[in-house]
Amino acid sequence: MTTESRPFLSVIIPAYNEEARIARSLVAAADYLAALPASAEMIVVDDGSRDGTAAAVEAFGAARAPRPAIRLLRNGRNRGKGYSLKHGVLLSKGEFLLLSDADFSTPIDELPRLLRPVREEGCGIAIGSRALPESRIEVRQPAWRQMMGKCFNLLVRTLTGLPFVDTQCGFKVMRRSQVMPLFRAARVERFAYDVEILYLARKAGVKIAEVPVIWRDAAGSKVNAVRDSLDMLLDIVRVVLRDRRGRYGTPERLAPAPDEGER
């Protein structure tokens, strides 16, 4: 693939049973992207939804074409957020990637904040953060979920050595050439994918920025705070053990190939 044929940006959205709100999210994202001077594509990865999510995306894409281009990918069965994002990333075409939750709890017009360090400051990844002093939380989660999130983050930092105060915000920008080897190596299929990618990025020497963002809690989360948090912790332990056993290989194996940007 030549540089000329590649979109500037790929927006990758995992979706599971999002029929009730996916159209609203797609309208806001498509309107924003259509106003950009550079080309963009939207990739929605349907994770085995049992409702009309896929049909809603197809209908929107047919009505909205040609700008931005909208693609629907299907997992066939429910595999998880991590698998869905890996599926979308590996089939993306953009020079830069925006990975966003389907509800856009962080609005898409926060994109320039995260794009700047990746495009201009040598970072391979910029992660949106709800926990920095400059972050603006306009609609908060219930207090018990906030407390669970803080405890989870403390355990993540203890187990992995990652320094970030919020790894789980669903709004991240990446330079495609820097992260393709990381996603090829990734094994986590569910919600702890963020931690695995960031862990592998640090191992490979990829520079990461944590950026304050606006965030609004949205009803309809598919995350079970107790069950999924325990599963995430188990996945994180597996990531660390996998690395210690050499299953991810050397940092050189995770580094971008010299011609990665031309693929």
Side-chain angles (χ1 to χ4, degrees):
M1 181 184 296
T2 65
T3 302
E4 288 74 21
S5 66
R6 182 181 300 116
F8 173 75
L9 178 72
S10 296
V11 180
I12 302 164
I13 305 168
Y16 176 65
N17 291 343
E18 294 286 356
E19 179 184 11
R21 59 184 179 179
I22 191 67
R24 182 171 64 252
S25 294
L26 293 179
V27 167
D31 286 349
Y32 181 89
L33 296 173
L36 295 178
S39 62
E41 64 172 355
M42 295 173 62
I43 301 173
V44 180
V45 185
D46 179 56
D47 191 23
S49 297
R50 297 189 299 271
D51 63 2
T53 297
V57 174
E58 287 181 323
F60 180 83
R64 186 74 193 210
R67 194 168 186 267
I70 298 170
R71 288 197 280 159
L72 172 68
L73 304 179
R74 301 173 189 257
N75 291 342
R77 62 182 176 87
N78 182 248
R79 297 291 299 265
K81 183 179 180 181
Y83 182 93
S84 299
L85 287 169
K86 179 174 180 174
H87 189 179
V89 167
L90 294 184
L91 293 178
S92 67
K93 300 175 182 177
E95 180 183 358
F96 300 97
L97 312 176
L98 167 61
L99 279 53
S100 176
D101 289 346
D103 58 18
F104 279 94
S105 290
T106 294
I108 195 169
D109 51 14
E110 291 289 273
L111 172 64
R113 280 192 178 192
L114 277 74
L115 189 58
R116 187 175 302 111
V118 176
R119 191 180 185 189
E120 301 175 10
E121 299 171 13
C123 294
I125 301 174
I127 61 173
S129 179
R130 301 161 291 184
L132 293 171
E134 303 87 353
S135 304
R136 196 167 90 214
I137 310 302
E138 296 186 345
V139 180
R140 293 187 175 276
Q141 292 179 314
W144 65 271
R145 291 195 69 137
Q146 294 180 53
M147 183 57 66
M148 286 193 69
K150 290 178 181 178
C151 292
F152 177 80
N153 181 259
L154 178 61
L155 287 169
V156 167
R157 286 185 284 163
T158 301
L159 289 169
T160 65
L162 291 172
F164 311 110
V165 292
D166 184 8
T167 58
Q168 302 308 115
C169 178
F171 199 83
K172 295 175 171 66
V173 171
M174 306 178 179
R175 185 179 287 272
R176 183 177 181 276
S177 62
Q178 292 285 304
V179 300
M180 287 295 279
L182 311 180
F183 277 91
R184 291 190 187 110
R187 308 281 188 87
V188 173
E189 295 196 345
R190 305 202 74 82
F191 294 110
Y193 98 90
D194 316 68
V195 177
E196 182 181 38
I197 292 298
L198 295 175
Y199 185 89
L200 295 179
R202 290 196 82 204
K203 180 181 175 72
V206 174
K207 186 178 176 182
I208 305 167
E210 186 170 16
V211 181
V213 292
I214 295 171
W215 192 79
R216 306 163 185 144
D217 185 42
S221 171
K222 307 302 186 297
V223 180
N224 181 294
V226 177
R227 183 190 64 236
D228 289 328
S229 292
L230 291 174
D231 286 345
M232 288 164 71
L233 285 173
L234 287 174
D235 272 337
I236 291 165
V237 170
R238 293 184 186 108
V239 167
V240 175
L241 292 177
R242 202 174 286 135
D243 183 40
R244 290 180 179 175
R245 293 168 182 162
R247 302 287 176 82
Y248 291 118
T250 63
E252 291 75 20
R253 181 188 171 215
L254 298 170
D259 62 343
E260 185 72 55
E262 296 302 317
R263 295 179 182 176

